Every structure is written in structure tokens, then in C-alpha cells.
Amino acid sequence: MKILNYTLILIFALGLLSCGGGGDGADETAPEVKFTSPSTNAASPTTITAGQAVTFSGTLSDNKKLKSISFTNLGEKAKTVNDFILDFNEKLNSKKPSSGSVLDKSESAVSFAIETLAGAPANEYTMTCTVIDNSDNPTTKTFYIKVE
């Protein structure tokens, strides 16, 4: 009987050891977000004339899979210019890529342009893009746009 008990314990222990581990482990690597336009450098913002288009161009990638992309609304760094901001944000909402466009891909390209409001007042603006992977690791990029 003791041999049977020891055998059952040994089989049970081997079963537990064979079930553990495996898998790919936790994904702790945040997505990589590279934009060539607009500028992500505060010291050298993308400079445009009112009425010109701002082009958003870049690539998103992850070691596993992307989950979502979002853009915050444009905000001014100085004085208030609500008409320009509202116009730009409405256009952004209609042209930006949706989260579905990056869903379950390991890499995705971003390319769209938004024409700014003619007669927009000169000012500096910032906005952000946040990309999240399937493990909820975020990467955020801030864009710097200067209207002259």
C-alpha cells in the first residue's frame, strides 16, 4: 500500500511540474512609436502657416500585438484661440486612425493630413498620441506645432 501511495504522490507531483511555466511570460515591453511628422521635439516644432495642412506620418510597432491608438485634443501653449482648436479637433476626429486599424497587429503605419483653419492666429500647440499594446503597456508621444 505504501508503494501505491508513493507512486500516486510521484505521479501527482510530476503532473503539477509539467503543467507549470510554459507560455511566453509577461509582456513588459511598451510599443515603439516613431513619427516623422509633426515634430515630437519641443525645441523645433513643426511650423506651418495658417491654412496649411499638418501631416501625421509614422509607424507603430510592438513585440507582440498593438491594441489601440488615441490622440488627445489640440491644446494651446499660450493664449486662447478656441475657434482654431475646435476646427482642428473636429478634423482630427474625422481623419485619425481608429483603434481598430491597429488592433492585433504587431506593426501599423499612420499617415493622414489635416488642413488648419485659414486665418488661424499665430500660436504654439501641443497634442499627444498614446499607443497601447495588448498587455496595456502605453507609449505616449507629444507633438509640437507652431502656426505662424
Side-chain angles (χ1 to χ4, degrees):
M1 190 65 148
K2 285 185 178 183
I3 295 175
L4 180 61
N5 285 342
Y6 289 125
T7 305
L8 289 174
I9 291 172
L10 181 62
I11 291 172
F12 180 72
L14 288 174
L16 285 177
L17 290 174
S18 67
C19 291
D24 295 332
D27 177 11
E28 296 179 9
T29 304
E32 190 170 337
V33 179
K34 294 181 181 178
F35 274 86
T36 55
S37 177
S39 175
T40 56
N41 182 347
S44 60
T46 296
T47 303
I48 61 167
T49 304
Q52 273 188 316
V54 176
T55 301
F56 290 81
S57 181
T59 57
L60 320 172
S61 61
D62 188 60
N63 62 322
K64 296 196 178 189
K65 290 182 180 178
L66 298 165
K67 179 179 180 180
S68 68
I69 180 172
S70 62
F71 288 82
T72 64
N73 290 339
L74 186 73
E76 73 274 3
K77 289 175 63 177
K79 57 192 170 191
T80 301
V81 286
N82 286 331
D83 289 342
F84 175 69
I85 292 172
L86 291 173
D87 177 73
F88 188 91
N89 289 335
E90 285 175 14
K91 290 176 181 174
L92 174 66
N93 286 332
S94 68
K95 293 191 177 220
K96 69 183 178 184
S98 67
S99 291
S101 67
V102 301
L103 192 62
D104 292 334
K105 296 178 183 177
S106 62
E107 189 170 315
S108 182
V110 174
S111 182
F112 63 96
I114 299 174
E115 187 176 316
T116 61
L117 186 65
N123 205 351
E124 291 188 23
Y125 303 90
T126 61
M127 65 183 305
T128 59
C129 170
T130 302
V131 178
I132 300 174
D133 69 11
N134 273 356
S135 296
D136 293 327
N137 298 311
T139 297
T140 300
K141 290 289 181 184
T142 301
F143 302 112
Y144 300 91
I145 303 165
K146 181 178 182 180
V147 176
E148 293 185 326

